[in-house]
Amino acid sequence: MSLIKIHQYDDITYFELGYAWYGKPMVRVYCYYLKGILIDSGQSNLQKGVLELFSARPIQKIVLTHYHEDHSGNAEVLRQAHQAQVLASPLTIQKISTKIPLKLYQIYSFGRVKPVKEATPLPDLIENQDFRLLPIPSPGHSADHFAFLDQARGCLFAGDIYLGNIRMMRPEENIKQMIESLKRLLTYDFEVLFCAHNPKLSKGKSYLAAKLQHLEDFYGKVKVLQNQGLGVGQIIKSVSWKENYIGKVWTFNDIGLDFMIRSAMKN
């Protein structure tokens, strides 16, 4: 059973989107509406519901944190429906301007993505009459990733840089870049962490700091074991970390603890 919930924080409306052909959604995606500015566009397999959500909510600007299908899935249909401007990094624009290759689990979980026909590189500041957003480069989860800071409200729209203290990554993720991005984000002041999958409405900076510590501890441990001559399989056996085999099967080996270890070993 699919899920669409509307939440409110101050003058920010945010939407919880989850798709399931049967049972409960495995993944929930959040996108954020700032009185005409939409941060990320949700998954295309909920396109009809998303279009209905915004039938009475005008959109002037669609801001993308990165190109992944659960973030860019409805960008083109919303752009056309609202004559909105799509704002994204140059690398994101390059990715979304053509068909994004997807695996079967991605198509099932999130849906296919229509290429975005018109997009504009991110300005130094994204603003309307109520909001001012500072774009902050934060690669690691993907090379094109950006977060957006509302300094006045103390809110960080973090895309997928947080997620939680998990021990699994996709092959494209770079743990060293993620560590550096988290350090950069933590130089700013904010209280609310608007993650695209796991929002934290209070103590957001503490959650992001805990994520940084989690990754630094992981990275340091892997480097110690690597210097002892251990390989990926040997490292997994020597520590208490557990591989997510269900996730590996479901995603056709597109996520895993082993990818996270490999990223630490090569960076």
Side-chain angles (χ1 to χ4, degrees):
M1 182 176 66
S2 296
L3 168 77
I4 297 179
K5 286 186 177 180
I6 303 173
H7 304 274
Q8 194 73 31
Y9 178 86
D10 195 15
D11 53 352
I12 297 168
T13 307
Y14 62 106
F15 306 95
E16 180 182 352
L17 310 173
Y19 172 81
W21 178 75
Y22 177 78
K24 294 182 180 180
M26 294 182 66
V27 180
R28 299 184 182 190
V29 179
Y30 292 80
C31 54
Y32 299 90
Y33 181 71
L34 287 60
K35 294 185 178 180
I37 298 174
L38 178 65
I39 300 178
D40 287 332
S41 65
Q43 57 272 58
S44 67
N45 55 14
L46 289 176
Q47 182 180 117
K48 182 179 179 181
V50 169
L51 286 171
E52 289 175 358
L53 281 176
F54 292 102
S55 62
R57 294 181 174 93
I59 301 172
Q60 287 83 44
K61 299 174 184 179
I62 301 167
V63 181
L64 298 180
T65 58
H66 60 301
Y67 79 93
H68 286 167
E69 66 280 357
D70 49 330
H71 299 259
S72 64
N74 294 304
E76 177 61 13
V77 294
L78 288 172
R79 183 193 72 81
Q80 292 182 15
H82 292 261
Q83 296 300 296
Q85 184 182 36
V86 176
L87 300 174
S89 73
L91 184 53
T92 302
I93 292 173
Q94 179 184 331
K95 294 278 191 180
I96 64 175
S97 64
T98 59
K99 186 177 180 180
I100 299 173
L102 299 173
K103 295 189 175 183
L104 287 176
Y105 85 92
Q106 293 170 297
I107 295 170
Y108 171 80
S109 298
F110 305 118
R112 300 183 187 275
V113 182
K114 286 186 177 180
V116 176
K117 295 180 180 179
E118 295 179 18
T120 303
L122 291 168
D124 293 335
L125 195 66
I126 301 164
E127 55 188 331
N128 60 15
Q129 62 181 7
D130 297 292
F131 290 86
R132 293 164 59 89
L133 299 174
L134 177 67
I136 306 171
S138 48
H141 174 71
S142 62
D144 64 320
H145 196 283
F146 266 73
F148 300 93
L149 178 67
D150 181 340
Q151 293 174 301
R153 292 170 179 78
C155 298
L156 181 70
F157 300 89
D160 283 353
I161 194 68
Y162 171 62
L163 299 182
N165 296 341
I166 56 178
R167 292 196 184 99
M168 57 183 176
M169 284 184 171
R170 294 171 63 177
E172 73 169 309
E173 294 188 82
N174 185 314
I175 189 172
K176 193 68 180 294
Q177 283 187 346
M178 195 174 292
I179 287 171
E180 294 306 313
S181 292
L182 289 168
K183 289 179 179 177
R184 182 182 307 114
L185 292 170
L186 286 166
T187 64
Y188 296 93
D189 290 327
F190 57 92
E191 169 70 12
V192 180
L193 180 63
F194 281 128
C195 174
H197 299 284
N198 187 13
K200 302 296 183 183
L201 301 184
S202 63
K203 300 181 180 178
K205 193 167 184 176
S206 297
Y207 280 103
L208 211 64
K211 172 77 172 191
L212 173 61
Q213 188 64 59
H214 168 73
L215 292 184
E216 288 185 321
D217 290 347
F218 184 96
Y219 183 85
K221 182 67 172 178
V222 169
K223 284 301 186 185
V224 168
L225 296 173
Q226 182 184 16
N227 291 335
Q228 293 174 4
L230 274 63
V232 175
Q234 293 169 313
I235 290 174
I236 292 175
K237 288 181 180 179
S238 70
V239 296
S240 60
W241 307 331
K242 301 295 183 182
E243 182 62 271
N244 184 350
Y245 290 108
I246 295 175
K248 276 194 164 296
V249 171
W250 168 247
T251 64
F252 300 88
N253 195 33
D254 199 37
I255 65 167
L257 169 62
D258 57 336
F259 293 129
M260 192 168 173
I261 292 172
R262 286 191 177 94
S263 180
M265 292 177 73
K266 69 182 181 183
N267 291 292

